[in-house]
Structures are given as C-alpha cells and as structure tokens.
Amino acid sequence: MKKKLWQWALVTVALVAVVMGVLHFWDRTAWPAFAADAKAPADAPQVVATVPRDFGWRTGDVIPIDLYIKQLPGTVVDTSNLAISGDFEIRTQPKAMIARKQSDGSTYMKLRFEVQSFNVSKSWTLNANMTYARTAAKDDQTVSLPALVVYTSMTYDGRADIQQGPQKLLISILEAVFTFGCVLAGVLGTIVCFVWYNHLNKPIVSNGKYPLTPLLQVKRNFDLISVRIKRGDFSPQNYEELERNLRWLYKLEAKTRGQIELSVQVTNHPYKNEITTIVSLCDKRLYDKVLLTDEEHEAIFQAFQRIFTGQPSALKLQER
C-alpha cells in the first residue's frame, strides 16, 4: 500500500530531526594514542593530558585541561582523587565526560578540569598524581601523570608539534549553517508534500482520472437535495438550491418570477421543457408558498434525470 504524501512529509521531518539529534549528540571524541610509562607498574593507567593551545597564555588565565585515561583490566581509577603540584592551582574538580568500554577489557575515560597560574613566567609546568586500585589485591597505588608544559610566549619556540587550538568561531558558523540547512530542507519538504497532496486530492469523478464537470457537480448537488426532499424536508431552501444549480449550469439569470420561462420559450435551448418544468414548480413552492404534490416532485426529479442522461423531452409541462 502506497503511503500518502502527508505521511511522507511527516517521515521527512522525522528523519531530519533524527539526523540533527544524532549530529548534536554524536560522540566525536578523538582518542589519543596511549603509551605505557616505563617507570610505572605494568597495570598503571595510561594517561594523556591536552590543552586547547600550547602557547599564548596570560597570567591568571583559566586553562581547561582534558585528561584522557586508559584504565587497564583488573584496576579501578579514582578520578576524584587528583593532586597537582607545580605552577598551577585547581580551579574546578575533574568532571567525567565520557567512559567507553573497550573489547580488550580496558576502559577509555575523558575528564575535564580547569587550572590557573598567577606566576609570571615564560612557561608553566603541571605535575599531578592520581590513585588507582587493583581489584584483586584491593590496595591503592599512586601514579604520577606526565608533566604538562604550557607557554606564555607568543612566538614559536622551536617545537615540532604546535597545537594552535580549535577554530571555535568557524566551527560554530559551520554548525549553524548546517543546522539551518536541515531545518530549511525539512520545512520546504513539508510544504512541497502538502502542495502535492492537495493537488492530487482535488474533486475527481468516480474513475479517479478527471475533474468534475459542471454537469457532474450539479448532479452531485441534486442527489443531496433530492434525498432531503424525499425524506420530507420541503423547506424553500431546497427548491431555491435546485433553481440556483440549474441557473449556474446553463448561465441563466432570473430577477423576477417567470423571466427564465420567457427567455427559454423564445430560444432553441435543447432542454427548454426540462428548464421550464423545474423553474415553474420550484417557483410555485417559493413564491406561492404551496407544497408540491408527489407527482410534481417526480416531475422535477425526472426533468433533472433527463438533463443528466442527455435525453430531452419533447413534451411540455401542462398548466396545473
């Protein structure tokens, strides 16, 4: 069964929302290459510390530090117990960001904390210690983290690996453009599907191929009105609607009673008798306020049926 276009529109919007959600929450963490410290025990956690940029810091700057830890199988790292020394002071305690279990039983973790230094120097050194426990022996071990050096110099210091820092403004602009593009595509897709749906659901005949002709529209209206009359609804509005549909079908105008009969009688209209019959009897109900008999109702119905079937009558309604 084919889905309707409005259903496809909803599917499109849902897919756009899912894509945007995945891109927003997708873990884009680039894990560093961990290496074991030859001076540390074999089961000691492997740690890498990074900063947004290597140089250009000023005294008192808040420096965010990302700490990547590889916790080896059979050990548990105490991420809340971090002691630093050297030129820095801890501004915020380590906050766990991501923890991911690996197939070899190890666990990758990412922590972030902030430090500050108020020493005036060309470079600052961060030394830190953390503890971990062996689950089998249930004893705590202390391990020293690799020293991290950041520079206050604004010039190149000769190192081969220079970390410039993330282009936050450019990344924000690209993400905003991408997000706006996704929203715009979803809105435009919904509008297009809505227009197509309305276009394909215009009034059509029973075979589902062509629009309703004026004759078929009148027949549809006549069927509704005749059902009401046959059920005993003889209100003038029903007869007024019958006349209105007939005038619309043949472009006939009637300002006062009898103008349609007169104009039809002096023309060669193929349905002159049917029009005269319908108008005369409807005017009798509208202007004389007289209820029509069953025979008169049947005369109206038969006149309309002859119009619909294309079989005009040569007989004229007798004066009653």
PDB file of all heavy atoms in Angstrom, residues 46-76:
ATOM      1  N   GLN A  46      47.191   4.463  31.817  1.00  0.00           N
ATOM      2  CA  GLN A  46      47.925   5.266  30.847  1.00  0.00           C
ATOM      3  C   GLN A  46      47.163   6.573  30.644  1.00  0.00           C
ATOM      4  O   GLN A  46      45.954   6.571  30.386  1.00  0.00           O
ATOM      5  CB  GLN A  46      48.069   4.512  29.531  1.00  0.00           C
ATOM      6  CG  GLN A  46      48.810   3.179  29.698  1.00  0.00           C
ATOM      7  CD  GLN A  46      48.773   2.328  28.447  1.00  0.00           C
ATOM      8  OE1 GLN A  46      48.448   2.813  27.371  1.00  0.00           O
ATOM      9  NE2 GLN A  46      49.127   1.050  28.603  1.00  0.00           N
ATOM     10  N   VAL A  47      47.871   7.694  30.779  1.00  0.00           N
ATOM     11  CA  VAL A  47      47.221   9.000  30.818  1.00  0.00           C
ATOM     12  C   VAL A  47      47.852   9.933  29.802  1.00  0.00           C
ATOM     13  O   VAL A  47      49.071   9.953  29.614  1.00  0.00           O
ATOM     14  CB  VAL A  47      47.313   9.629  32.226  1.00  0.00           C
ATOM     15  CG1 VAL A  47      46.555  10.963  32.272  1.00  0.00           C
ATOM     16  CG2 VAL A  47      46.760   8.673  33.270  1.00  0.00           C
ATOM     17  N   VAL A  48      46.976  10.722  29.132  1.00  0.00           N
ATOM     18  CA  VAL A  48      47.418  11.784  28.220  1.00  0.00           C
ATOM     19  C   VAL A  48      46.640  13.036  28.584  1.00  0.00           C
ATOM     20  O   VAL A  48      45.411  13.015  28.691  1.00  0.00           O
ATOM     21  CB  VAL A  48      47.165  11.415  26.745  1.00  0.00           C
ATOM     22  CG1 VAL A  48      47.532  12.585  25.831  1.00  0.00           C
ATOM     23  CG2 VAL A  48      47.950  10.164  26.366  1.00  0.00           C
ATOM     24  N   ALA A  49      47.360  14.151  28.796  1.00  0.00           N
ATOM     25  CA  ALA A  49      46.743  15.430  29.119  1.00  0.00           C
ATOM     26  C   ALA A  49      46.934  16.391  27.947  1.00  0.00           C
ATOM     27  O   ALA A  49      48.024  16.477  27.378  1.00  0.00           O
ATOM     28  CB  ALA A  49      47.334  16.024  30.392  1.00  0.00           C
ATOM     29  N   THR A  50      45.884  17.122  27.594  1.00  0.00           N
ATOM     30  CA  THR A  50      45.952  18.090  26.487  1.00  0.00           C
ATOM     31  C   THR A  50      45.321  19.401  26.912  1.00  0.00           C
ATOM     32  O   THR A  50      44.474  19.452  27.811  1.00  0.00           O
ATOM     33  CB  THR A  50      45.222  17.575  25.231  1.00  0.00           C
ATOM     34  OG1 THR A  50      43.827  17.431  25.517  1.00  0.00           O
ATOM     35  CG2 THR A  50      45.786  16.232  24.784  1.00  0.00           C
ATOM     36  N   VAL A  51      45.765  20.482  26.258  1.00  0.00           N
ATOM     37  CA  VAL A  51      45.198  21.816  26.451  1.00  0.00           C
ATOM     38  C   VAL A  51      44.777  22.343  25.089  1.00  0.00           C
ATOM     39  O   VAL A  51      45.266  21.864  24.052  1.00  0.00           O
ATOM     40  CB  VAL A  51      46.222  22.760  27.116  1.00  0.00           C
ATOM     41  CG1 VAL A  51      46.461  22.372  28.557  1.00  0.00           C
ATOM     42  CG2 VAL A  51      47.527  22.754  26.340  1.00  0.00           C
ATOM     43  N   PRO A  52      43.863  23.345  25.030  1.00  0.00           N
ATOM     44  CA  PRO A  52      43.401  23.845  23.735  1.00  0.00           C
ATOM     45  C   PRO A  52      44.515  24.390  22.854  1.00  0.00           C
ATOM     46  O   PRO A  52      44.467  24.267  21.639  1.00  0.00           O
ATOM     47  CB  PRO A  52      42.396  24.944  24.114  1.00  0.00           C
ATOM     48  CG  PRO A  52      41.947  24.601  25.497  1.00  0.00           C
ATOM     49  CD  PRO A  52      43.132  23.960  26.154  1.00  0.00           C
ATOM     50  N   ARG A  53      45.509  25.013  23.468  1.00  0.00           N
ATOM     51  CA  ARG A  53      46.641  25.524  22.686  1.00  0.00           C
ATOM     52  C   ARG A  53      47.898  25.434  23.537  1.00  0.00           C
ATOM     53  O   ARG A  53      47.824  25.358  24.761  1.00  0.00           O
ATOM     54  CB  ARG A  53      46.394  26.957  22.224  1.00  0.00           C
ATOM     55  CG  ARG A  53      46.291  27.979  23.352  1.00  0.00           C
ATOM     56  CD  ARG A  53      46.123  29.400  22.784  1.00  0.00           C
ATOM     57  NE  ARG A  53      46.220  30.398  23.827  1.00  0.00           N
ATOM     58  CZ  ARG A  53      45.207  30.904  24.502  1.00  0.00           C
ATOM     59  NH1 ARG A  53      43.982  30.462  24.241  1.00  0.00           N
ATOM     60  NH2 ARG A  53      45.393  31.831  25.422  1.00  0.00           N
ATOM     61  N   ASP A  54      49.039  25.473  22.880  1.00  0.00           N
ATOM     62  CA  ASP A  54      50.295  25.283  23.598  1.00  0.00           C
ATOM     63  C   ASP A  54      50.864  26.575  24.161  1.00  0.00           C
ATOM     64  O   ASP A  54      51.568  26.568  25.157  1.00  0.00           O
ATOM     65  CB  ASP A  54      51.346  24.659  22.666  1.00  0.00           C
ATOM     66  CG  ASP A  54      51.014  23.217  22.342  1.00  0.00           C
ATOM     67  OD1 ASP A  54      50.462  22.549  23.223  1.00  0.00           O
ATOM     68  OD2 ASP A  54      51.261  22.763  21.215  1.00  0.00           O
ATOM     69  N   PHE A  55      50.601  27.703  23.523  1.00  0.00           N
ATOM     70  CA  PHE A  55      51.260  28.931  23.954  1.00  0.00           C
ATOM     71  C   PHE A  55      50.295  30.108  23.851  1.00  0.00           C
ATOM     72  O   PHE A  55      49.203  30.001  23.300  1.00  0.00           O
ATOM     73  CB  PHE A  55      52.520  29.208  23.112  1.00  0.00           C
ATOM     74  CG  PHE A  55      52.240  29.313  21.642  1.00  0.00           C
ATOM     75  CD1 PHE A  55      51.956  30.530  21.048  1.00  0.00           C
ATOM     76  CD2 PHE A  55      52.267  28.184  20.826  1.00  0.00           C
ATOM     77  CE1 PHE A  55      51.697  30.624  19.700  1.00  0.00           C
ATOM     78  CE2 PHE A  55      52.013  28.276  19.484  1.00  0.00           C
ATOM     79  CZ  PHE A  55      51.724  29.499  18.912  1.00  0.00           C
ATOM     80  N   GLY A  56      50.708  31.245  24.396  1.00  0.00           N
ATOM     81  CA  GLY A  56      49.895  32.450  24.331  1.00  0.00           C
ATOM     82  C   GLY A  56      49.056  32.691  25.570  1.00  0.00           C
ATOM     83  O   GLY A  56      48.200  33.570  25.575  1.00  0.00           O
ATOM     84  N   TRP A  57      49.277  31.932  26.649  1.00  0.00           N
ATOM     85  CA  TRP A  57      48.503  32.133  27.870  1.00  0.00           C
ATOM     86  C   TRP A  57      49.014  33.341  28.653  1.00  0.00           C
ATOM     87  O   TRP A  57      50.196  33.689  28.608  1.00  0.00           O
ATOM     88  CB  TRP A  57      48.568  30.888  28.758  1.00  0.00           C
ATOM     89  CG  TRP A  57      48.055  29.647  28.086  1.00  0.00           C
ATOM     90  CD1 TRP A  57      48.794  28.655  27.519  1.00  0.00           C
ATOM     91  CD2 TRP A  57      46.691  29.298  27.895  1.00  0.00           C
ATOM     92  NE1 TRP A  57      47.989  27.691  26.986  1.00  0.00           N
ATOM     93  CE2 TRP A  57      46.670  28.059  27.202  1.00  0.00           C
ATOM     94  CE3 TRP A  57      45.476  29.892  28.225  1.00  0.00           C
ATOM     95  CZ2 TRP A  57      45.505  27.413  26.845  1.00  0.00           C
ATOM     96  CZ3 TRP A  57      44.315  29.251  27.881  1.00  0.00           C
ATOM     97  CH2 TRP A  57      44.328  28.024  27.195  1.00  0.00           C
ATOM     98  N   ARG A  58      48.121  33.973  29.384  1.00  0.00           N
ATOM     99  CA  ARG A  58      48.471  35.101  30.229  1.00  0.00           C
ATOM    100  C   ARG A  58      48.274  34.731  31.694  1.00  0.00           C
ATOM    101  O   ARG A  58      47.555  33.809  32.016  1.00  0.00           O
ATOM    102  CB  ARG A  58      47.623  36.324  29.881  1.00  0.00           C
ATOM    103  CG  ARG A  58      47.797  36.811  28.451  1.00  0.00           C
ATOM    104  CD  ARG A  58      46.950  38.026  28.176  1.00  0.00           C
ATOM    105  NE  ARG A  58      47.103  38.479  26.805  1.00  0.00           N
ATOM    106  CZ  ARG A  58      46.504  39.556  26.305  1.00  0.00           C
ATOM    107  NH1 ARG A  58      45.690  40.270  27.088  1.00  0.00           N
ATOM    108  NH2 ARG A  58      46.693  39.902  25.045  1.00  0.00           N
ATOM    109  N   THR A  59      48.906  35.514  32.544  1.00  0.00           N
ATOM    110  CA  THR A  59      48.813  35.254  33.977  1.00  0.00           C
ATOM    111  C   THR A  59      47.357  35.342  34.431  1.00  0.00           C
ATOM    112  O   THR A  59      46.660  36.306  34.133  1.00  0.00           O
ATOM    113  CB  THR A  59      49.651  36.279  34.766  1.00  0.00           C
ATOM    114  OG1 THR A  59      51.006  36.217  34.322  1.00  0.00           O
ATOM    115  CG2 THR A  59      49.579  35.994  36.258  1.00  0.00           C
ATOM    116  N   GLY A  60      46.907  34.305  35.138  1.00  0.00           N
ATOM    117  CA  GLY A  60      45.546  34.254  35.640  1.00  0.00           C
ATOM    118  C   GLY A  60      44.541  33.675  34.671  1.00  0.00           C
ATOM    119  O   GLY A  60      43.358  33.557  35.024  1.00  0.00           O
ATOM    120  N   ASP A  61      44.987  33.322  33.460  1.00  0.00           N
ATOM    121  CA  ASP A  61      44.050  32.716  32.513  1.00  0.00           C
ATOM    122  C   ASP A  61      43.513  31.395  33.052  1.00  0.00           C
ATOM    123  O   ASP A  61      44.244  30.634  33.698  1.00  0.00           O
ATOM    124  CB  ASP A  61      44.736  32.459  31.172  1.00  0.00           C
ATOM    125  CG  ASP A  61      44.795  33.712  30.318  1.00  0.00           C
ATOM    126  OD1 ASP A  61      44.148  34.703  30.688  1.00  0.00           O
ATOM    127  OD2 ASP A  61      45.478  33.690  29.273  1.00  0.00           O
ATOM    128  N   VAL A  62      42.225  31.139  32.795  1.00  0.00           N
ATOM    129  CA  VAL A  62      41.640  29.844  33.130  1.00  0.00           C
ATOM    130  C   VAL A  62      41.990  28.875  32.007  1.00  0.00           C
ATOM    131  O   VAL A  62      41.622  29.093  30.844  1.00  0.00           O
ATOM    132  CB  VAL A  62      40.112  29.951  33.298  1.00  0.00           C
ATOM    133  CG1 VAL A  62      39.506  28.561  33.525  1.00  0.00           C
ATOM    134  CG2 VAL A  62      39.774  30.879  34.455  1.00  0.00           C
ATOM    135  N   ILE A  63      42.704  27.823  32.342  1.00  0.00           N
ATOM    136  CA  ILE A  63      43.177  26.872  31.334  1.00  0.00           C
ATOM    137  C   ILE A  63      42.417  25.560  31.495  1.00  0.00           C
ATOM    138  O   ILE A  63      42.560  24.869  32.508  1.00  0.00           O
ATOM    139  CB  ILE A  63      44.690  26.619  31.480  1.00  0.00           C
ATOM    140  CG1 ILE A  63      45.449  27.936  31.368  1.00  0.00           C
ATOM    141  CG2 ILE A  63      45.168  25.620  30.432  1.00  0.00           C
ATOM    142  CD1 ILE A  63      46.947  27.784  31.563  1.00  0.00           C
ATOM    143  N   PRO A  64      41.589  25.189  30.524  1.00  0.00           N
ATOM    144  CA  PRO A  64      40.901  23.888  30.592  1.00  0.00           C
ATOM    145  C   PRO A  64      41.848  22.776  30.163  1.00  0.00           C
ATOM    146  O   PRO A  64      42.588  22.897  29.185  1.00  0.00           O
ATOM    147  CB  PRO A  64      39.741  24.058  29.600  1.00  0.00           C
ATOM    148  CG  PRO A  64      40.232  25.068  28.618  1.00  0.00           C
ATOM    149  CD  PRO A  64      41.158  25.980  29.345  1.00  0.00           C
ATOM    150  N   ILE A  65      41.801  21.703  30.912  1.00  0.00           N
ATOM    151  CA  ILE A  65      42.669  20.553  30.620  1.00  0.00           C
ATOM    152  C   ILE A  65      41.794  19.324  30.419  1.00  0.00           C
ATOM    153  O   ILE A  65      40.933  19.019  31.245  1.00  0.00           O
ATOM    154  CB  ILE A  65      43.670  20.309  31.762  1.00  0.00           C
ATOM    155  CG1 ILE A  65      44.613  21.513  31.889  1.00  0.00           C
ATOM    156  CG2 ILE A  65      44.461  19.029  31.517  1.00  0.00           C
ATOM    157  CD1 ILE A  65      45.610  21.379  33.009  1.00  0.00           C
ATOM    158  N   ASP A  66      42.012  18.652  29.306  1.00  0.00           N
ATOM    159  CA  ASP A  66      41.327  17.392  29.035  1.00  0.00           C
ATOM    160  C   ASP A  66      42.260  16.248  29.393  1.00  0.00           C
ATOM    161  O   ASP A  66      43.403  16.174  28.905  1.00  0.00           O
ATOM    162  CB  ASP A  66      40.932  17.293  27.561  1.00  0.00           C
ATOM    163  CG  ASP A  66      39.759  18.211  27.228  1.00  0.00           C
ATOM    164  OD1 ASP A  66      38.981  18.523  28.137  1.00  0.00           O
ATOM    165  OD2 ASP A  66      39.634  18.618  26.056  1.00  0.00           O
ATOM    166  N   LEU A  67      41.779  15.364  30.248  1.00  0.00           N
ATOM    167  CA  LEU A  67      42.575  14.241  30.731  1.00  0.00           C
ATOM    168  C   LEU A  67      41.998  12.955  30.152  1.00  0.00           C
ATOM    169  O   LEU A  67      40.843  12.598  30.417  1.00  0.00           O
ATOM    170  CB  LEU A  67      42.540  14.200  32.260  1.00  0.00           C
ATOM    171  CG  LEU A  67      43.693  13.491  32.975  1.00  0.00           C
ATOM    172  CD1 LEU A  67      45.013  14.167  32.659  1.00  0.00           C
ATOM    173  CD2 LEU A  67      43.439  13.486  34.474  1.00  0.00           C
ATOM    174  N   TYR A  68      42.762  12.273  29.329  1.00  0.00           N
ATOM    175  CA  TYR A  68      42.355  11.008  28.728  1.00  0.00           C
ATOM    176  C   TYR A  68      43.042   9.870  29.483  1.00  0.00           C
ATOM    177  O   TYR A  68      44.272   9.868  29.630  1.00  0.00           O
ATOM    178  CB  TYR A  68      42.750  10.962  27.252  1.00  0.00           C
ATOM    179  CG  TYR A  68      42.090  12.031  26.418  1.00  0.00           C
ATOM    180  CD1 TYR A  68      42.709  13.270  26.241  1.00  0.00           C
ATOM    181  CD2 TYR A  68      40.859  11.807  25.811  1.00  0.00           C
ATOM    182  CE1 TYR A  68      42.113  14.258  25.482  1.00  0.00           C
ATOM    183  CE2 TYR A  68      40.262  12.793  25.044  1.00  0.00           C
ATOM    184  CZ  TYR A  68      40.891  14.013  24.886  1.00  0.00           C
ATOM    185  OH  TYR A  68      40.298  14.986  24.125  1.00  0.00           O
ATOM    186  N   ILE A  69      42.240   8.919  29.965  1.00  0.00           N
ATOM    187  CA  ILE A  69      42.764   7.831  30.797  1.00  0.00           C
ATOM    188  C   ILE A  69      42.388   6.497  30.181  1.00  0.00           C
ATOM    189  O   ILE A  69      41.234   6.290  29.765  1.00  0.00           O
ATOM    190  CB  ILE A  69      42.189   7.908  32.232  1.00  0.00           C
ATOM    191  CG1 ILE A  69      42.523   9.267  32.859  1.00  0.00           C
ATOM    192  CG2 ILE A  69      42.726   6.766  33.091  1.00  0.00           C
ATOM    193  CD1 ILE A  69      41.849   9.483  34.210  1.00  0.00           C
ATOM    194  N   LYS A  70      43.359   5.611  30.114  1.00  0.00           N
ATOM    195  CA  LYS A  70      43.108   4.228  29.723  1.00  0.00           C
ATOM    196  C   LYS A  70      43.226   3.373  30.978  1.00  0.00           C
ATOM    197  O   LYS A  70      44.319   3.113  31.468  1.00  0.00           O
ATOM    198  CB  LYS A  70      44.093   3.766  28.655  1.00  0.00           C
ATOM    199  CG  LYS A  70      43.866   2.326  28.204  1.00  0.00           C
ATOM    200  CD  LYS A  70      44.879   1.909  27.138  1.00  0.00           C
ATOM    201  CE  LYS A  70      44.637   0.474  26.684  1.00  0.00           C
ATOM    202  NZ  LYS A  70      45.624   0.043  25.652  1.00  0.00           N
ATOM    203  N   GLN A  71      42.091   2.952  31.501  1.00  0.00           N
ATOM    204  CA  GLN A  71      42.051   2.111  32.704  1.00  0.00           C
ATOM    205  C   GLN A  71      42.188   0.658  32.277  1.00  0.00           C
ATOM    206  O   GLN A  71      41.345   0.133  31.559  1.00  0.00           O
ATOM    207  CB  GLN A  71      40.740   2.354  33.452  1.00  0.00           C
ATOM    208  CG  GLN A  71      40.546   1.491  34.680  1.00  0.00           C
ATOM    209  CD  GLN A  71      39.199   1.748  35.325  1.00  0.00           C
ATOM    210  OE1 GLN A  71      39.043   2.671  36.107  1.00  0.00           O
ATOM    211  NE2 GLN A  71      38.220   0.918  34.997  1.00  0.00           N
ATOM    212  N   LEU A  72      43.231   0.001  32.745  1.00  0.00           N
ATOM    213  CA  LEU A  72      43.525  -1.365  32.328  1.00  0.00           C
ATOM    214  C   LEU A  72      42.636  -2.367  33.072  1.00  0.00           C
ATOM    215  O   LEU A  72      42.107  -2.073  34.157  1.00  0.00           O
ATOM    216  CB  LEU A  72      45.002  -1.686  32.587  1.00  0.00           C
ATOM    217  CG  LEU A  72      46.001  -0.817  31.801  1.00  0.00           C
ATOM    218  CD1 LEU A  72      47.424  -1.218  32.134  1.00  0.00           C
ATOM    219  CD2 LEU A  72      45.746  -0.915  30.305  1.00  0.00           C
ATOM    220  N   PRO A  73      42.433  -3.549  32.512  1.00  0.00           N
ATOM    221  CA  PRO A  73      41.593  -4.563  33.168  1.00  0.00           C
ATOM    222  C   PRO A  73      42.126  -4.919  34.558  1.00  0.00           C
ATOM    223  O   PRO A  73      43.342  -4.981  34.777  1.00  0.00           O
ATOM    224  CB  PRO A  73      41.667  -5.758  32.217  1.00  0.00           C
ATOM    225  CG  PRO A  73      42.035  -5.177  30.891  1.00  0.00           C
ATOM    226  CD  PRO A  73      42.926  -4.012  31.192  1.00  0.00           C
ATOM    227  N   GLY A  74      41.236  -5.140  35.511  1.00  0.00           N
ATOM    228  CA  GLY A  74      41.631  -5.515  36.865  1.00  0.00           C
ATOM    229  C   GLY A  74      41.980  -4.342  37.748  1.00  0.00           C
ATOM    230  O   GLY A  74      42.436  -4.543  38.879  1.00  0.00           O
ATOM    231  N   THR A  75      41.771  -3.120  37.250  1.00  0.00           N
ATOM    232  CA  THR A  75      42.073  -1.938  38.054  1.00  0.00           C
ATOM    233  C   THR A  75      40.896  -0.972  38.000  1.00  0.00           C
ATOM    234  O   THR A  75      40.076  -1.012  37.086  1.00  0.00           O
ATOM    235  CB  THR A  75      43.336  -1.217  37.549  1.00  0.00           C
ATOM    236  OG1 THR A  75      43.112  -0.743  36.214  1.00  0.00           O
ATOM    237  CG2 THR A  75      44.533  -2.152  37.550  1.00  0.00           C
ATOM    238  N   VAL A  76      40.840  -0.099  39.012  1.00  0.00           N
ATOM    239  CA  VAL A  76      39.822   0.947  39.065  1.00  0.00           C
ATOM    240  C   VAL A  76      40.518   2.257  39.389  1.00  0.00           C
ATOM    241  O   VAL A  76      41.171   2.390  40.422  1.00  0.00           O
ATOM    242  CB  VAL A  76      38.748   0.641  40.133  1.00  0.00           C
ATOM    243  CG1 VAL A  76      37.753   1.797  40.219  1.00  0.00           C
ATOM    244  CG2 VAL A  76      38.045  -0.659  39.833  1.00  0.00           C
TER     245      VAL A  76
END
